[in-house]
Amino acid sequence: MNTSERSMQMRLAAHKSWAVTPDRASRTEAARRASHHTRFIAKARELNPTATAQQISEIAASLKKAHYQELALRSAQARRIKGQAAKEAQRKKEAAELAAYEAGKTEAA
């Protein structure tokens, strides 16, 4: 079985499994409890052990926003670097083609 067939088979199994799941929320509850948000709450409590529940919630929200902003920054930087590398490669390719053209032009003369 190739990877495409295996992937289709796994998706089929997942759809069948969800089709017989009466309570989807309970099935995904553990994953939601272990989500990123709990990590931000734990970090907020670590940073501010005497804070109220409301303050912890606000701090966790700020930590979450900072986390996703950092990911966005890293992504933008990676795209910029990749774009610059592609432009440099294109420039080198064009320079090589021009040099080859010029070399062929002088040999013909």
Side-chain angles (χ1 to χ4, degrees):
M1 182 181 311
N2 65 28
T3 57
S4 178
E5 290 171 340
R6 188 174 306 121
S7 178
M8 284 189 254
Q9 186 178 34
M10 290 168 33
R11 280 192 302 250
L12 175 63
H15 287 302
K16 286 181 177 181
S17 176
W18 281 109
V20 296
T21 302
D23 187 5
R24 290 174 175 237
S26 66
R27 181 173 169 178
T28 59
E29 182 179 357
R32 286 193 313 274
R33 274 198 316 265
S35 71
H36 285 302
H37 189 66
T38 57
R39 179 177 61 141
F40 298 123
I41 290 174
K43 184 67 174 176
R45 285 189 181 124
E46 178 186 315
L47 293 173
N48 300 289
T50 60
T52 65
Q54 178 64 29
Q55 290 170 329
I56 293 294
S57 178
E58 291 169 358
I59 294 166
S62 291
L63 289 170
K64 184 178 179 180
K65 288 178 185 177
H67 172 73
Y68 284 106
Q69 188 64 47
E70 182 179 13
L71 291 179
L73 174 62
R74 289 181 184 180
S75 175
Q77 290 170 336
R79 287 191 312 272
R80 177 182 47 78
I81 290 167
K82 185 178 177 181
Q84 288 173 341
K87 285 180 184 177
E88 181 65 20
Q90 181 64 28
R91 188 193 64 74
K92 286 181 179 179
K93 178 183 173 188
E94 289 171 355
E97 288 173 354
L98 181 60
Y101 174 76
E102 290 295 328
K105 189 176 176 182
T106 55
E107 288 176 7

